[in-house]
């Protein structure tokens, strides 16, 4: 993601999320604004519905009434999105759009970034910060989905598993 393009949350009339997406995509194509408005998403999640004692997996909107737009914020791009049929405005104070942070984008599952780790299971690591700062341990497990690692640390003459963020450790060479 370049420094200028960010994800913004757009409020829509309930039930109009997909129509807003389609209308916005047509407008972007007609005006040739693909370099300014890159992506429009209506995040979905799988939900298990039980009806008449039968389970079925259904796709449901994660954030009803909202569309997520990746764009470079300019007066023109703001105007195009804001004036798309079904849009009630951007999320932010006094209609001033506030971009999502990278952490929010990650947690919402909108954009997946590839993770490159410079360590693997069995490596010795030193904890850089947190309550166990400067403790040494061995990586026992790496969970890419949760973005966590489990490190076995020796405390009080006992092996203790500790769950940490990826950036909390550094490899001891």
């Amino acid at each position: 993601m370049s420094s200028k393009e960010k994800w913004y949350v757009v409020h829509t009339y309930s039930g109009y999320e997909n129509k807003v997406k389609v209308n916005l995509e047509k407008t972007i194509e007609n005006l040739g604004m693909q370099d300014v408005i890159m992506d429009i998403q209506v995040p979905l999640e799988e939900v298990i519905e039980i009806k008449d004692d039968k389970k079925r997996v259904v796709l449901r909107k994660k954030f009803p009434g909202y569309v997520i737009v990746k764009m470079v914020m300019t007066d023109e791009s703001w105007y195009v999105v804001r004036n798309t049929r079904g849009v009630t405005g951007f999320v932010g104070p006094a209609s001033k759009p506030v971009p999502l942070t990278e952490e929010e984008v990650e947690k919402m599952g909108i954009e997946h970034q590839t993770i490159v780790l410079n360590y693997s299971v069995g490596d010795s690591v030193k904890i850089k910060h947190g309550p166990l700062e400067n403790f040494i341990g061995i990586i026992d497990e790496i969970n890419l989905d949760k973005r966590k690692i489990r490190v076995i640390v020796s405390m009080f003459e006992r092996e203790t598993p500790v769950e940490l963020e990826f950036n909390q450790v550094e490899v001891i060479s």
Side-chain angles (χ1 to χ4, degrees):
M1 207 158 70
S2 84
S3 58
K4 288 190 173 195
E5 63 195 48
K6 302 246 186 273
W7 285 97
Y8 294 89
V9 180
V10 177
H11 195 267
T12 68
Y13 293 124
S14 190
Y16 275 71
E17 302 88 355
N18 292 327
K19 287 177 187 156
V20 165
K21 179 179 175 168
V22 169
N23 289 342
L24 199 47
E25 285 169 344
K26 281 181 189 167
T27 306
I28 292 164
E29 196 174 318
N30 292 341
L31 297 175
M33 295 182 72
Q34 295 89 340
D35 57 330
V36 187
I37 303 173
M38 292 77 177
D39 196 3
I40 303 134
Q41 290 197 13
V42 180
L44 301 171
E45 64 183 342
E46 286 186 355
V47 181
I48 296 171
E49 248 181 31
I50 300 171
K51 200 173 188 181
D52 300 329
D53 290 335
K54 291 180 183 160
K55 282 186 182 181
R56 15 177 254 164
V57 177
V58 181
L59 281 178
R60 193 174 286 159
K61 291 177 188 108
K62 257 189 186 176
F63 312 107
Y66 295 96
V67 172
I68 319 297
V69 180
K70 183 181 189 178
M71 62 191 271
V72 176
M73 186 57 71
T74 64
D75 289 345
E76 189 183 9
S77 65
W78 178 87
Y79 183 84
V80 166
V81 174
R82 179 69 189 85
N83 289 293
T84 299
R85 191 179 162 123
V87 170
T88 58
F90 281 91
V91 172
S95 291
K96 184 184 184 302
V98 176
L100 294 170
T101 64
E102 284 188 26
E103 287 170 357
E104 289 169 328
V105 170
E106 239 172 69
K107 284 181 182 170
M108 291 169 81
I110 300 167
E111 201 171 63
H112 299 288
Q113 297 170 330
T114 45
I115 303 162
V116 179
L117 299 175
N118 61 347
Y119 47 76
S120 57
V121 173
D123 286 356
S124 291
V125 291
K126 179 180 179 181
I127 300 173
K128 293 193 293 187
H129 49 82
L132 300 175
E133 188 174 350
N134 295 325
F135 270 74
I136 307 283
I138 294 171
I139 296 176
D140 181 46
E141 183 183 311
I142 298 175
N143 187 331
L144 293 173
D145 294 335
K146 286 186 178 176
R147 297 181 177 268
K148 302 250 186 210
I149 58 171
R150 189 168 66 200
V151 177
I152 303 296
V153 178
S154 182
M155 272 195 290
F156 312 115
E157 297 178 18
R158 279 207 170 133
E159 301 282 293
T160 307
V162 181
E163 196 172 76
L164 301 166
E165 303 284 331
F166 286 161
N167 64 352
Q168 277 186 275
V169 299
E170 63 185 25
V171 177
I172 301 170
S173 30

Short mmCIF file of all heavy atoms in Angstrom, two decimals, residues 124-144:
data_model
loop_
_atom_site.label_atom_id
_atom_site.label_comp_id
_atom_site.label_asym_id
_atom_site.label_seq_id
_atom_site.Cartn_x
_atom_site.Cartn_y
_atom_site.Cartn_z
N SER A 124 16.07 -19.98 19.56
CA SER A 124 16.17 -19.28 20.85
C SER A 124 15.91 -17.80 20.60
O SER A 124 16.46 -17.22 19.66
CB SER A 124 17.56 -19.44 21.44
OG SER A 124 17.73 -20.78 21.83
N VAL A 125 15.07 -17.21 21.46
CA VAL A 125 14.73 -15.80 21.31
C VAL A 125 14.80 -15.07 22.64
O VAL A 125 14.70 -15.69 23.71
CB VAL A 125 13.31 -15.61 20.71
CG1 VAL A 125 13.24 -16.05 19.27
CG2 VAL A 125 12.26 -16.33 21.54
N LYS A 126 14.98 -13.76 22.55
CA LYS A 126 14.98 -12.90 23.73
C LYS A 126 13.74 -12.03 23.62
O LYS A 126 13.44 -11.48 22.54
CB LYS A 126 16.24 -12.04 23.72
CG LYS A 126 16.33 -11.08 24.88
CD LYS A 126 17.62 -10.28 24.77
CE LYS A 126 17.72 -9.28 25.91
NZ LYS A 126 18.95 -8.49 25.79
N ILE A 127 12.99 -11.90 24.71
CA ILE A 127 11.79 -11.09 24.70
C ILE A 127 12.20 -9.62 24.82
O ILE A 127 12.93 -9.25 25.74
CB ILE A 127 10.83 -11.52 25.84
CG1 ILE A 127 10.43 -12.99 25.63
CG2 ILE A 127 9.59 -10.62 25.87
CD1 ILE A 127 9.64 -13.62 26.74
N LYS A 128 11.75 -8.80 23.85
CA LYS A 128 12.18 -7.40 23.76
C LYS A 128 11.40 -6.47 24.68
O LYS A 128 11.95 -5.52 25.21
CB LYS A 128 12.04 -6.87 22.32
CG LYS A 128 12.99 -7.53 21.33
CD LYS A 128 13.03 -6.78 20.02
CE LYS A 128 11.72 -6.88 19.27
NZ LYS A 128 11.79 -6.29 17.92
N HIS A 129 10.09 -6.71 24.83
CA HIS A 129 9.30 -5.84 25.72
C HIS A 129 8.10 -6.58 26.28
O HIS A 129 7.75 -7.65 25.83
CB HIS A 129 8.88 -4.54 25.01
CG HIS A 129 8.27 -4.74 23.65
ND1 HIS A 129 6.96 -5.07 23.47
CD2 HIS A 129 8.81 -4.65 22.42
CE1 HIS A 129 6.71 -5.17 22.18
NE2 HIS A 129 7.83 -4.93 21.52
N GLY A 130 7.51 -5.99 27.29
CA GLY A 130 6.40 -6.64 27.99
C GLY A 130 6.85 -7.07 29.38
O GLY A 130 7.99 -6.80 29.78
N PRO A 131 5.99 -7.74 30.12
CA PRO A 131 6.31 -8.12 31.50
C PRO A 131 7.50 -9.09 31.60
O PRO A 131 8.15 -9.14 32.63
CB PRO A 131 5.04 -8.79 32.01
CG PRO A 131 4.09 -8.86 30.89
CD PRO A 131 4.63 -8.09 29.74
N LEU A 132 7.78 -9.82 30.55
CA LEU A 132 8.89 -10.79 30.58
C LEU A 132 10.10 -10.28 29.80
O LEU A 132 10.89 -11.08 29.28
CB LEU A 132 8.43 -12.14 30.04
CG LEU A 132 7.27 -12.79 30.80
CD1 LEU A 132 6.81 -14.05 30.11
CD2 LEU A 132 7.66 -13.07 32.23
N GLU A 133 10.25 -8.97 29.72
CA GLU A 133 11.35 -8.36 28.99
C GLU A 133 12.69 -8.95 29.44
O GLU A 133 12.90 -9.19 30.63
CB GLU A 133 11.35 -6.85 29.22
CG GLU A 133 12.33 -6.10 28.36
CD GLU A 133 12.20 -4.59 28.50
OE1 GLU A 133 11.23 -4.10 29.11
OE2 GLU A 133 13.10 -3.90 28.01
N ASN A 134 13.57 -9.22 28.48
CA ASN A 134 14.91 -9.78 28.68
C ASN A 134 14.93 -11.27 29.03
O ASN A 134 16.01 -11.83 29.22
CB ASN A 134 15.72 -8.97 29.71
CG ASN A 134 15.99 -7.57 29.19
OD1 ASN A 134 16.20 -7.37 27.99
ND2 ASN A 134 15.97 -6.60 30.08
N PHE A 135 13.78 -11.93 29.13
CA PHE A 135 13.76 -13.37 29.34
C PHE A 135 14.17 -14.05 28.03
O PHE A 135 13.91 -13.54 26.95
CB PHE A 135 12.35 -13.86 29.74
CG PHE A 135 12.08 -13.86 31.21
CD1 PHE A 135 11.86 -12.67 31.89
CD2 PHE A 135 12.03 -15.06 31.92
CE1 PHE A 135 11.59 -12.67 33.25
CE2 PHE A 135 11.76 -15.06 33.28
CZ PHE A 135 11.55 -13.86 33.95
N ILE A 136 14.79 -15.20 28.15
CA ILE A 136 15.21 -15.99 27.00
C ILE A 136 14.30 -17.21 26.94
O ILE A 136 13.95 -17.79 27.97
CB ILE A 136 16.68 -16.46 27.16
CG1 ILE A 136 17.61 -15.29 27.45
CG2 ILE A 136 17.12 -17.28 25.95
CD1 ILE A 136 17.96 -14.42 26.29
N GLY A 137 13.90 -17.60 25.73
CA GLY A 137 13.05 -18.77 25.59
C GLY A 137 13.24 -19.42 24.23
O GLY A 137 14.02 -18.94 23.41
N ILE A 138 12.52 -20.50 24.01
CA ILE A 138 12.59 -21.23 22.75
C ILE A 138 11.20 -21.23 22.13
O ILE A 138 10.20 -21.52 22.80
CB ILE A 138 13.08 -22.68 22.99
CG1 ILE A 138 14.52 -22.64 23.49
CG2 ILE A 138 12.98 -23.51 21.71
CD1 ILE A 138 15.05 -23.97 23.97
N ILE A 139 11.14 -20.91 20.82
CA ILE A 139 9.86 -20.87 20.12
C ILE A 139 9.31 -22.28 20.01
O ILE A 139 9.97 -23.19 19.51
CB ILE A 139 10.00 -20.24 18.71
CG1 ILE A 139 10.44 -18.77 18.84
CG2 ILE A 139 8.68 -20.33 17.94
CD1 ILE A 139 10.71 -18.09 17.53
N ASP A 140 8.07 -22.45 20.50
CA ASP A 140 7.41 -23.75 20.53
C ASP A 140 6.38 -23.85 19.41
O ASP A 140 6.15 -24.93 18.86
CB ASP A 140 6.74 -23.92 21.90
CG ASP A 140 6.04 -25.24 22.06
OD1 ASP A 140 6.64 -26.26 21.70
OD2 ASP A 140 4.89 -25.25 22.53
N GLU A 141 5.75 -22.72 19.08
CA GLU A 141 4.67 -22.75 18.10
C GLU A 141 4.54 -21.36 17.47
O GLU A 141 4.73 -20.35 18.14
CB GLU A 141 3.36 -23.11 18.81
CG GLU A 141 2.17 -23.24 17.92
CD GLU A 141 0.89 -23.53 18.72
OE1 GLU A 141 0.90 -24.44 19.58
OE2 GLU A 141 -0.10 -22.82 18.49
N ILE A 142 4.21 -21.33 16.17
CA ILE A 142 3.96 -20.07 15.46
C ILE A 142 2.55 -20.15 14.89
O ILE A 142 2.23 -21.07 14.14
CB ILE A 142 4.98 -19.84 14.33
CG1 ILE A 142 6.39 -19.74 14.91
CG2 ILE A 142 4.62 -18.59 13.53
CD1 ILE A 142 7.49 -19.64 13.87
N ASN A 143 1.69 -19.20 15.27
CA ASN A 143 0.31 -19.17 14.78
C ASN A 143 0.14 -17.94 13.88
O ASN A 143 -0.02 -16.83 14.37
CB ASN A 143 -0.66 -19.13 15.96
CG ASN A 143 -2.10 -19.27 15.52
OD1 ASN A 143 -2.47 -18.89 14.41
ND2 ASN A 143 -2.92 -19.82 16.40
N LEU A 144 0.20 -18.16 12.57
CA LEU A 144 0.10 -17.06 11.61
C LEU A 144 -1.28 -16.41 11.61
O LEU A 144 -1.39 -15.20 11.44
CB LEU A 144 0.45 -17.54 10.19
CG LEU A 144 1.90 -17.98 9.99
CD1 LEU A 144 2.09 -18.61 8.63
CD2 LEU A 144 2.85 -16.81 10.17
#
